[in-house]
Amino acid sequence: MSGQNPNCSITERLAWRLKRPVDAPARERAARHVLDWTACALAGARSEPARAMSAALGGQSGSSCTVVSGDPQGALDAVMINGALGNVLEMDDVDKRAILHPGPTVIPAALAACELYGGDALAFLDAVVRGYEAVIRLGRAVGPGHYAYWHNTGTCGPFGAAAAAASAFGLDAGMTAHALGLAGTQASGFWQTRHEAQSMAKQLHTARAAHAGLSAAMLARSGFKGPLQILEGPQGFFAATCPGGDPDAVLVAEDENWAMFDVSFKPWPACRHAHAAIDAALEARERLGERITQIQAIEVATYSDAVTFCDNAKPDTVLEAKFSLQHAIAAALLIGPLDLSHFEPAMFNAPHLRALAAKVSVRADERFNQAYPARYGAALAIALPDGGLMETQALDALGDPENPLPEAVLIDKVRMLAEAGGCGSERLDRLLQTAFTLPQGGMLAGFTSALAGADRP
């Protein structure tokens, strides 16, 4: 099989592309995404979905693979549990054009695969880079018709997890293509989950994506074959789920950089579609000063997906608050930079926040639609009692490549989330130190020990 043969399937050609060497800058970048996922998973480990997932699957204590803040488990259970954790708090990394979160699906699969077959720190980072490449390429090709009903992280995530595990296992391009095919046939995850407040299925989507990818690579490693035309076939992924999508776009070579460098870090614990509006509100807060109490009305102009997912003036749950433009803007204006506590019931039920949120109207604006999804933008128009109008805008959300998150802010985020997850200062320092030194190579034991818990071997 040749990676240049146009008669090969898309998965075969993608598998060849994933075999190119990973350079030092990409490994450095991967280490920061690993740290970001670690923090999200630590805080998520205390959530109700995490407790339920661990209770259901955590029955193999003493097995070989690390679980965040838990006992070691078998590889497939470990990847399910870890896969559920990173997305719980809506602070995981995101590729804005693919509209998906690579970290929660790719990193648990890469970690379990390396632990299962003895991969070191460099093998782990290389697997993460290649997993991000696969899931992002697919996510950018599926199109808005897919995203309208399917949770891209859940449906595209198995491909990224499979690519990561295949890299960690050292599979050749042929086996990697079969792993991708086996992963794709397991793709799942409907957006119906966001319409039902009690549903924990969003975490199941990420967990199953990580599990599907790892199991697909394990099967391929043992000679189990998959459908190589899973993407472009007449009854494959694109035909079944991607109206208007383009499977050939998976192979578009936009530049020489790995796709990971385009991924955004999230500073605020809310849906990414709300972040540009939060940034605009924080700027308005600085400019308004004491006049914040005089606000008469706020109009938010943004792109249509932000309205579809985040127009909710009266959130009743923590998850709904994270998907509420009105609450996020009111909190940013009245409180300032947002942390996890600002999306708890005491906050979104507070009368002064509810009152200001009720003054927020949301509309889609064509100028932001035309730029989306390459750019996530929003503008605020704030009416004041003297008839004046204050306008602020954020054309790119903080943490996007065009508006990078400073490393000091990333570390602050990690500290906030780790503390929320009950991580003590000594363990946190070890996590920071071991994560930042992963690109130097060596064994994974120091990092995995800190990830599991300071009191664990």
Side-chain angles (χ1 to χ4, degrees):
M1 177 178 72
S2 169
Q4 304 301 317
N5 185 350
N7 296 320
C8 288
S9 68
I10 292 173
T11 56
E12 289 172 292
R13 284 179 279 166
L14 176 60
W16 272 101
R17 290 198 180 189
L18 295 174
K19 298 299 289 183
R20 67 186 175 104
V22 177
D23 57 15
R27 287 170 174 163
E28 293 281 350
R29 176 76 180 205
R32 278 148 181 78
H33 285 282
V34 168
L35 181 60
D36 186 71
W37 169 80
T38 296
C40 293
L42 284 169
R46 285 194 161 188
S47 68
E48 187 177 354
R51 288 192 290 270
M53 184 73 73
S54 296
L57 300 178
Q60 297 185 36
S61 180
S63 297
S64 59
C65 291
T66 299
V67 170
V68 176
S69 297
D71 294 322
Q73 303 293 329
L76 293 176
D77 283 346
V79 79
M80 276 283 286
I81 296 170
N82 288 340
L85 303 183
N87 184 246
V88 175
L89 299 176
E90 295 295 336
M91 290 200 77
D92 42 339
D93 60 10
V94 59
D95 183 80
K96 57 185 178 178
R97 284 187 286 164
I99 323 179
L100 54 73
H101 306 279
T105 60
V106 170
I107 295 173
L111 182 64
C114 283
E115 290 191 292
L116 197 58
Y117 290 111
D120 61 11
L122 296 186
F124 173 50
L125 295 178
D126 290 358
V128 171
V129 172
R130 291 179 173 127
Y132 272 55
E133 186 76 10
V135 69
I136 291 168
R137 282 183 169 274
L138 181 63
R140 291 177 181 176
V142 296
H146 183 86
Y147 186 65
Y149 295 96
W150 299 87
H151 181 194
N152 287 12
T153 305
T155 56
C156 302
F159 292 89
S167 174
F169 293 161
L171 301 190
D172 64 22
M175 287 183 174
T176 298
H178 283 290
L180 293 170
L182 292 168
T185 203
Q186 301 179 71
S188 62
F190 296 113
W191 271 129
Q192 181 60 33
T193 185
R194 73 180 182 87
H195 297 290
E196 302 184 27
Q198 85 290 343
S199 176
M200 301 176 186
K202 195 164 183 281
Q203 279 66 64
L204 181 60
H205 296 173
T206 57
R208 278 288 300 125
H211 181 279
L214 177 62
S215 61
M218 292 170 69
L219 288 165
R221 185 176 185 270
S222 296
F224 201 93
K225 307 297 184 185
L228 295 180
Q229 294 189 42
I230 189 64
L231 296 177
E232 73 272 33
Q235 291 184 298
F237 183 84
F238 275 81
T241 72
C242 305
D246 180 9
D248 289 325
V250 172
L251 299 174
V252 171
E254 296 178 347
D255 54 45
E256 294 301 316
N257 250 347
W258 292 95
M260 172 175 281
F261 287 97
D262 294 330
V263 177
S264 303
F265 292 101
K266 294 174 64 174
W268 318 124
C271 175
R272 186 59 172 177
H273 293 313
H275 277 222
I278 292 171
D279 296 337
L282 291 172
E283 180 187 340
R285 172 182 167 84
E286 291 185 5
R287 291 171 55 188
L288 282 168
E290 295 181 356
R291 291 184 297 165
I292 287 176
T293 59
Q294 301 171 14
I295 291 174
Q296 302 295 296
I298 305 168
E299 182 184 75
V300 183
T302 187
Y303 51 93
S304 295
D305 272 346
V307 176
T308 298
F309 281 80
C310 298
D311 182 7
N312 183 355
K314 296 180 179 179
D316 292 320
T317 68
V318 171
L319 185 59
E320 287 182 1
K322 292 173 182 288
F323 280 77
S324 169
L325 278 163
Q326 291 89 338
H327 172 72
I329 290 167
L333 284 167
L334 293 175
I335 299 169
L338 302 176
D339 62 33
L340 294 172
S341 68
H342 300 140
F343 294 87
E344 292 295 322
M347 284 294 178
F348 61 73
N349 287 323
H352 66 302
L353 282 170
R354 285 269 181 172
L356 186 55
K359 297 179 181 181
V360 179
S361 62
V362 178
R363 67 176 178 86
D365 187 294
E366 192 56 28
R367 61 177 166 147
F368 294 116
N369 278 336
Q370 289 179 358
Y372 176 79
R375 304 182 76 174
Y376 283 29
L380 268 58
I382 300 175
L384 298 169
D386 59 2
L389 195 66
M390 172 181 285
E391 295 181 325
T392 60
Q393 67 177 5
L395 298 179
D396 299 289
L398 179 62
D400 281 350
E402 299 82 1
N403 188 13
L405 193 71
E407 186 168 289
V409 179
L410 174 61
I411 292 174
D412 287 343
K413 170 187 173 178
V414 170
R415 291 189 181 280
M416 176 190 72
L417 291 174
E419 290 170 3
C423 184
S425 59
E426 181 180 346
R427 180 185 176 197
L428 174 56
D429 288 343
R430 282 206 298 138
L431 276 168
L432 287 166
Q433 192 271 333
T434 55
F436 277 122
T437 57
L438 286 171
Q440 299 174 18
M443 301 304 294
L444 278 170
F447 172 70
T448 55
S449 174
L451 187 62
D455 57 334
R456 302 180 190 282

